């Protein structure tokens, strides 16, 4: 270990630090510190590469949920290989594959070393799989895990699925109807956002943020705006913080309610499916009351929010919220009262708490395994520092738990919005944005409806983005879906899939 | 069971009467069809074009135009312009049959979509099955297509259905900028749709690439691969904009018409 008193740089959600204050560890120091930290309850929120002179810098952002802090770890490698941490720290499995694909670094000993999004290496001279630079990788063309045996059959689904849903490829290894293993291969929605963010911000940046995952516009735009505010050393006004909170909870409501309806639909229970399908639209319309867009486009901007919420509008919103609340309290509990629904929800797609911890699962999927991780509670920012929202957990880790946690969160979000609308602070809604400070790093965490949204920005000598890393909660959680499917019946896949409700575009970027 | 029956009564009948009745009320801040008035544009002013994230504005002496196929309806141009050259209105009707009809200027308002040719209209007018393919977008267009299938909108009352197999479909409903990684799958889906078939591009991505215009990872919209029969702009388009476009294509709403508004 170096002579420095602290091998990592202590930080917090939305507080920027100087790049030079983060010591450059030797690769083995970096790796053992990461293992130690994860062994003592820290989570890997982000882990990414960055091209620098003479090689690649690797950065990790670790979250300490118990002590409300973040740690930045950094190392430099000049070779193109590193021992894989995945066997001892499974939650980095996809991060290592991502770094390999982008920067041509081989992680030796990685148990399943494959591309993530099927694009060419960002470093033309270096490819982790020694593929010739002239051949563009073909999506989905790769080795898949196979179970061998006379009675084993393989089912391949996608990239195009039956419904109105994003593309992805699923391979099931089945014995009869029983799934022994599911492998998920994505990348079909890859549109090169992170690479386009380099050198920013520019006039397109906010629009990239709002479309990283279209159903998570508010959470991603908030994470970005807080990055810009930290780099410009400003804060959003109190009134804007409350409006951001209202918008974030409305986003959660629309999606949770939509998912509860879709789960009902997946088990053929049409009353709740119909009611919730409509109610989801009511919540989207409430977001449109704030800013004209059902997805919150144009609302969240660095420095605050772009639309005022006048008292009469707040009053109308409250009325709509009360009406939707009343309908929901009839529509959703029908699920828990119907034995035909509960028979399909309970004990299906079980994810153990241990597996969830190992994979670094976030959001309602983690809370449904009894893990009380929630950024609004563990790393609060904005309005959540003053207005506390209960962390909703359940212990069984099955489809029921993931549905029921959503229902508890729906109720908590409604209460939160109701209180926020009645106590909107006075004052401006937007502060002027200041130029970004050069040579700094900042990470922001936001509890989106799927879980932790993590953005990290590193600025160069001019304050431009030398790297901008986005981690959508889906990036952590897709592997959990694969695990939950083990030893399940293949016909339960749509139900299990919806119970995790993951984003393809947020993963593929 | 009694609880379910009670719930049914409590929730009531929710399907809107549009297009026979008024359209649903649009939010105050809704950003719909823009008006362009370059008469006060000073020479050499580029404020609006420089602010546009997707280069949707073309400047010219008194002939400034806005390409709604590229427009994200973010209103950055409206905010940047000191003269009020571009103002976004509340008209939700935006769909066109031709790509060039999406380019609006002072004397060129949107030429709204007309109905299909007689032969196709005879085939699809009362029953249109569409296979939706999502190819390199953000899933917001998909979400608002899904909304059309809920009880409030009930797309099926027009004989329009989203079907699971392209072989059961009369056409494709495409969203997304067409990522290179979806090119092959999308072509295969198109080939699997029996002729005659139509293609509908929903959202800025599927029309032009949207926020991802020019990325090497995308093909800048469905037009790169197939002839497109209906363009529905927006980022994402409001469900009413999508429905209006589909109904115009089927001749259920005639050119230029607008059902009486609920607010008069």
């Amino acid at each position: 270990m170096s002579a420095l008193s602290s091998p990592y740089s202590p930080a917090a959600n939305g507080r920027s630090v100087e790049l030079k204050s983060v010591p450059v560890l030797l690769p083995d120091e970096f790796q053992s510190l990461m293992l130690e930290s994860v062994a003592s309850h820290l989570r890997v929120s982000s882990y990414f590469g960055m091209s620098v002179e003479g090689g690649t810098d690797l950065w990790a952002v670790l979250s300490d949920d118990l002590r409300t802090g973040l740690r930045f770890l950094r190392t430099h490698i000049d070779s193109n290989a590193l021992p894989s941490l995945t066997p001892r720290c499974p939650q980095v499995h996809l991060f290592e594959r991502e770094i390999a694909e982008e920067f041509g670094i081989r992680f030796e000993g990685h148990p399943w070393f494959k591309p993530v999004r099927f694009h060419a290496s960002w470093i033309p001279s270096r490819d982790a799989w020694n593929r010739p630079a002239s051949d563009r990788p073909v999506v989905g063309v790769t080795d898949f895990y196979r179970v061998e045996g006379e009675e084993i059959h393989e089912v391949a689904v996608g990239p195009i699925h039956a419904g109105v849903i994003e593309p992805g490829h699923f391979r099931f290894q089945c014995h009869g109807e029983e799934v022994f293993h599911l492998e998920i291969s994505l990348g079909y929605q890859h549109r090169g956002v992170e690479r386009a963010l380099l050198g920013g911000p520019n006039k397109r940046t906010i629009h990239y943020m709002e479309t990283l995952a279209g159903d998570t516009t508010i959470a991603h735009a908030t994470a970005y705006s807080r990055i810009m505010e930290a780099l410009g050393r400003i804060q959003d006004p109190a009134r804007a913080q409350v409006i951001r909170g209202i918008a974030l909870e409305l986003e959660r409501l629309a999606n949770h309610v939509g998912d509860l309806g879709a789960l009902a639909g997946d088990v053929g229970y049409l009353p709740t499916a119909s009611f919730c399908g409509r109610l989801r639209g009511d919540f989207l319309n409430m977001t449109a009351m704030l800013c004209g867009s059902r997805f919150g486009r144009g609302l969240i901007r660095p420095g605050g929010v772009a639309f005022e919420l006048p008292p009469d509008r707040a009053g109308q919103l409250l009325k709509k919220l009360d009406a939707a609340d009343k309908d929901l309290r009839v529509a959703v509990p029908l699920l828990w009262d119907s034995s035909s629904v509960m028979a399909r929800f309970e004990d299906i797609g079980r994810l153990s708490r241990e597996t969830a911890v190992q994979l670094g699962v976030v959001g309602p999927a983690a809370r449904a395994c009894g893990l009380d991780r929630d950024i609004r509670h563990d790393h609060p920012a904005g309005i959540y520092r003053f207005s506390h929202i209960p962390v909703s957990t359940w212990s069984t880790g099955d489809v029921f738990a993931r549905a029921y946690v959503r229902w508890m969160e729906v109720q908590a979000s409604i209460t939160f919005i109701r209180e926020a609308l009645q106590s909107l602070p006075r004052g401006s809604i937007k502060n002027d944005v200041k130029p970004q400070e050069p040579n700094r790093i900042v990470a922001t965490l936001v509890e989106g409806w799927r879980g932790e949204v993590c953005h990290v920005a590193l600025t160069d000598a001019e304050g431009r983005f030398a790297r901008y890393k986005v981690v959508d909660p889906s990036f952590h959680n897709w592997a959990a879906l694969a695990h939950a499917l083990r030893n399940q019946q293949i016909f339960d896949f749509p139900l299990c899939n919806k119970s995790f409700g993951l984003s393809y575009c947020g993963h593929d970027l | 069971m009694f609880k379910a029956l009670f719930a049914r009564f409590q929730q009531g009948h929710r399907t809107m009467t549009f297009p026979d009745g008024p359209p649903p009320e649009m939010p105050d801040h809704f950003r719909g069809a823009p008006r362009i008035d370059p008469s006060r544009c000073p020479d050499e002013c580029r404020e609006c074009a420089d602010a546009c994230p997707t280069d949707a504005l073309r400047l010219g002496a008194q002939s400034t135009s806005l390409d709604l196929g590229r427009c994200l309806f973010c209103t950055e141009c409206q905010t940047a312009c000191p003269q009020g050259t571009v103002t976004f209105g509340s008209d939700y009707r935006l769909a066109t049959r031709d790509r060039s009809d999406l380019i609006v200027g002072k004397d060129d308002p949107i030429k709204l979509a007309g109905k299909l040719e007689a032969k196709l209209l005879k085939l699809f007018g009362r029953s249109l099955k569409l296979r939706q393919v999502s190819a390199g977008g953000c899933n917001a267009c998909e979400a608002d297509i899904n909304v059309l299938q809920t009880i409030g909108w009930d797309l099926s009352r027009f004989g329009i259905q989203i079907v699971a197999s392209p072989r059961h479909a009369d056409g494709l409903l495409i969203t997304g900028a067409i990522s290179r990684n979806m090119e092959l799958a999308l072509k295969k889906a198109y080939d699997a749709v029996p002729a005659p078939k139509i293609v509908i591009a929903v959202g800025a991505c599927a029309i032009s690439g949207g926020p991802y215009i020019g990325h090497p990872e995308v093909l800048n919209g469905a037009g790169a691969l197939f002839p497109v029969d209906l363009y529905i702009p927006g980022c994402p388009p409001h469900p009413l904009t999508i429905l209006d476009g589909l109904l115009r294509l089927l001749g259920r709403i005639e050119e230029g018409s607008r059902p009486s508004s609920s607010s008069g």
Side-chain angles (χ1 to χ4, degrees), chain B residues 114-155:
Chain B
K115 61 189 174 200
L116 283 167
E117 299 67 39
K119 188 185 157 207
L120 287 177
L121 198 62
K122 187 158 183 286
L123 284 169
F124 302 147
R126 292 160 67 90
S127 165
L128 179 65
K129 312 289 174 196
L130 295 169
R131 168 67 245 199
Q132 200 276 327
V133 182
S134 158
C138 78
N139 200 31
C141 290
E142 290 83 343
D144 266 350
I145 290 169
N146 257 327
V147 160
L148 290 179
Q149 303 193 82
T150 63
I151 49 171
W153 300 82
D154 191 13
L155 192 60

Side-chain angles (χ1 to χ4, degrees), chain B residues 23-118:
Chain B
E25 211 176 315
M26 298 301 265
D28 290 354
H29 297 299
F30 178 73
R31 305 181 277 279
R35 280 185 301 279
I36 316 280
D37 178 13
S39 56
R40 279 166 295 173
C41 285
D43 292 343
E44 311 292 316
C45 178
R46 294 192 46 86
E47 297 285 342
C48 60
D50 287 346
C52 178
T54 55
D55 300 324
L57 282 140
R58 287 280 170 278
L59 302 184
Q62 305 301 305
S63 67
T64 295
S65 65
L66 174 58
D67 180 356
L68 292 182
R70 285 173 165 247
C71 183
L72 307 181
F73 295 77
C74 67
T75 67
E76 295 290 349
C77 52
Q78 183 177 321
T79 311
C81 175
Q83 316 294 336
T85 299
V86 188
T87 41
F88 285 84
S90 59
D91 194 342
Y92 61 85
R93 302 167 308 158
L94 300 168
T96 70
R97 295 292 308 275
D98 272 327
R99 179 70 183 85
S100 60
D101 291 341
L102 289 172
I103 298 168
V104 297
K106 189 185 178 201
D107 304 313
D108 297 306
I110 310 169
K111 189 162 165 254
L112 292 172
K115 61 189 174 200
L116 283 167
E117 299 67 39

Side-chain angles (χ1 to χ4, degrees), chain A residues 117 139 161 163-164 167 187-189 191 203-204 208 211 214 278 280 291 294-295 297 313 327 337 505, chain B residues 3 10-11 14 28-29 31 50 52-53 131 134 136-138 144 146-147 179 181 211-213 215 235:
Chain A
R117 304 185 178 101
V139 66
H161 304 282
V164 181
Y188 298 89
Q189 293 277 59
R191 49 219 191 277
K203 60 185 182 177
R204 254 197 227 185
Y208 288 134
T211 56
R278 171 187 64 88
R280 171 177 175 278
C291 65
R294 288 154 57 86
F295 296 88
R297 301 285 159 88
R313 181 75 44 83
D327 287 352
D337 289 337
C505 55
Chain B
K3 278 185 181 164
Q10 188 267 339
Q11 304 271 336
R14 299 287 191 157
D28 290 354
H29 297 299
R31 305 181 277 279
D50 287 346
C52 178
R131 168 67 245 199
S134 158
C138 78
D144 266 350
N146 257 327
V147 160
S179 54
N181 284 353
Y212 319 111
I213 291 177
H215 285 202
C235 186

Side-chain angles (χ1 to χ4, degrees), chain A residues 213-236:
Chain A
D215 50 25
T216 313
T217 296
I218 299 291
H220 277 293
T222 302
Y224 165 69
S225 295
R226 293 188 46 243
I227 290 263
M228 294 295 285
E229 287 150 16
L231 290 172
R233 287 186 181 271
I234 60 162
Q235 255 209 338
D236 51 333

Side-chain angles (χ1 to χ4, degrees), chain A residues 149-317:
Chain A
E150 260 184 33
E151 297 185 353
I152 297 294
H153 69 279
E154 187 178 75
V155 180
V157 182
I160 301 180
H161 304 282
V164 181
I165 184 171
E166 298 179 78
H169 183 72
F170 301 90
R171 283 277 172 109
F172 300 87
Q173 308 296 318
C174 295
H175 180 247
E177 296 282 289
E178 188 178 348
V179 178
F180 279 1
H181 184 75
L182 160 63
E183 184 165 358
I184 301 167
S185 184
L186 303 177
Y188 298 89
Q189 293 277 59
H190 180 58
R191 49 219 191 277
V193 180
E194 275 192 359
R195 198 150 67 146
L197 287 168
L198 294 174
N202 56 39
K203 60 185 182 177
R204 254 197 227 185
T205 308
I206 185 69
H207 303 286
Y208 288 134
M209 299 300 164
E210 291 188 328
T211 56
L212 288 166
D215 50 25
T216 313
T217 296
I218 299 291
H220 277 293
T222 302
Y224 165 69
S225 295
R226 293 188 46 243
I227 290 263
M228 294 295 285
E229 287 150 16
L231 290 172
R233 287 186 181 271
I234 60 162
Q235 255 209 338
D236 51 333
R239 190 172 174 83
Q241 293 183 12
V242 178
I243 296 175
R244 283 182 182 183
I246 292 169
L248 187 67
E249 298 309 320
L250 281 176
E251 185 167 88
R252 192 180 326 278
L253 281 165
N255 286 292
H256 277 7
V257 168
D259 278 353
L260 285 167
L263 283 166
D266 277 342
V267 298
Y269 190 70
L270 297 185
T272 304
S274 303
F275 304 150
C276 284
R278 171 187 64 88
L279 285 160
R280 171 177 175 278
D282 286 358
F283 287 112
L284 293 176
N285 286 338
M286 287 182 223
T287 300
M289 283 173 74
L290 295 177
C291 65
S293 157
R294 288 154 57 86
F295 296 88
R297 301 285 159 88
L299 176 60
I300 311 287
R301 287 293 179 270
V305 294
F307 291 88
E308 182 51 272
L309 179 53
D312 58 327
R313 181 75 44 83
Q316 290 164 3
L317 201 52

